[in-house]
Amino acid sequence: SDVSFKGKTVKLDDNLDFTYYNEGVTPITNFKGSFDGQGHTIKNLKITSDASQVGLFATLEAGQTLQNLTLEGGKVVGQYQGADDAYVAALLGYANGGAVINCHNVGCLVVGQGPNYVAGLVGGTMSDSDMVIMACSNSAAVTSDSHQTTYVGGIVSRLGNNNRLVACYNVGNIQIEEGAFSSCVGGISGYLGDNAYLYGCYNSGSVEGVGACGSLLGFSSTANLFNCCYEYNAQLDMVGSIHGQLNDYNVAGCSYT
């Protein structure tokens, strides 16, 4: 049989609870299909891994979808110590394209102890792919103590060029630990690639870091933010750092509460 499930959709027919599974869970690798949680919940997911792509799913292939799933409680820890880029998030380590729709992290803590891309839901996405993240949320704390330039976000750490993030919100606290290197940290995304955009997103979680830190977005050279909202913080701007001038074309309809 095709253990990668390429071209197939795997459906979750009931809730799962890993509370008493003390050995922890290994990230799902070599998965090339789609997954539909059908509105179910996975409770107390526990992952500790030194792999370079860490999450319930290590990777998502172009054209495939992860949807309709909630992660409740638990902790995901990435401990990669190599020189290459590494990604850690609760749901998905790295997306080569595809879509993440209606997925939620409700209190599954994410800790980066080495990886330089850390997020509540999706570790990072490939540039110039068909990637879209839609109707997703994070309410878990996300922390990183990486000793290299780090990208950290409530939903995604790095949204690649031409990718889209739509109608998502974060209420979790995002933090770079003291002593970590300079960073790009945002309540929604740490970094926004060229011609990528955030639309209809909201953040009320606190954001702390060293470097480019913003209530919605940490850094972008061509920010496209439309109809987004954030909870006002006098010490923190909407966008941590932007190359070039912001104008009505690439930032429109955004506000704070």
Side-chain angles (χ1 to χ4, degrees):
S1 62
D2 184 4
V3 294
S4 73
F5 296 99
K6 185 175 182 179
K8 299 179 174 62
T9 297
V10 177
K11 296 182 178 181
L12 183 64
D13 287 333
D14 204 348
N15 298 327
L16 295 176
D17 191 342
F18 289 102
T19 298
Y20 302 107
Y21 193 74
N22 296 324
E23 296 180 359
V25 175
T26 301
I28 299 170
T29 59
N30 194 40
F31 183 75
K32 300 184 184 302
S34 292
F35 179 87
D36 188 349
Q38 299 192 109
H40 293 299
T41 298
I42 296 177
K43 293 184 177 181
N44 299 308
L45 177 71
K46 296 181 287 289
I47 298 175
T48 299
S49 174
D50 61 2
S52 60
Q53 297 164 332
V54 177
L56 175 62
F57 294 89
T59 59
L60 176 67
E61 296 303 305
Q64 306 304 311
T65 301
L66 301 180
Q67 63 183 336
N68 305 324
L69 180 67
T70 296
L71 302 178
E72 181 179 318
K75 187 175 185 179
V76 175
V77 181
Q79 297 181 328
Y80 182 78
Q81 298 299 318
D84 297 329
D85 288 339
Y87 304 82
V88 58
L91 177 69
L92 173 63
Y94 186 79
N96 294 299
V100 177
I101 301 172
N102 192 32
C103 290
H104 309 279
N105 178 2
V106 182
C108 180
L109 306 179
V110 179
V111 181
Q113 298 175 342
N116 55 329
Y117 294 92
V118 185
L121 204 67
V122 178
T125 69
M126 178 180 285
S127 290
D128 302 317
S129 67
D130 61 347
M131 186 67 198
V132 60
I133 302 173
M134 180 182 296
C136 295
S137 69
N138 174 66
S139 61
V142 179
T143 62
S144 172
D145 64 359
S146 176
H147 294 288
Q148 55 183 319
T149 300
T150 305
Y151 304 84
V152 184
I155 300 297
V156 61
S157 69
R158 177 188 182 277
L159 192 68
N161 299 347
N162 300 303
N163 293 177
R164 295 162 290 161
L165 202 158
V166 181
C168 295
Y169 70 88
N170 173 69
V171 297
N173 296 331
I174 314 302
Q175 182 177 17
I176 300 293
E177 297 292 344
E178 185 176 352
F181 277 26
S182 64
S183 55
C184 299
V185 188
I188 300 297
S189 180
Y191 175 89
L192 191 66
D194 292 345
N195 298 315
Y197 69 82
L198 307 185
Y199 183 88
C201 295
Y202 172 77
N203 175 59
S204 65
S206 66
V207 178
E208 299 179 25
V210 179
C213 302
S215 290
L216 289 172
L217 170 65
F219 177 88
S220 180
S221 57
T222 56
N224 296 296
L225 286 77
F226 304 106
N227 298 331
C228 293
C229 184
Y230 63 100
E231 192 167 290
Y232 179 72
N233 182 335
Q235 306 301 316
L236 202 63
D237 292 330
M238 177 176 66
V239 178
S241 179
I242 294 289
H243 274 317
Q245 182 179 0
L246 292 180
N247 53 54
D248 292 338
Y249 174 75
N250 49 19
V251 176
C254 295
S255 62
Y256 62 80
T257 59

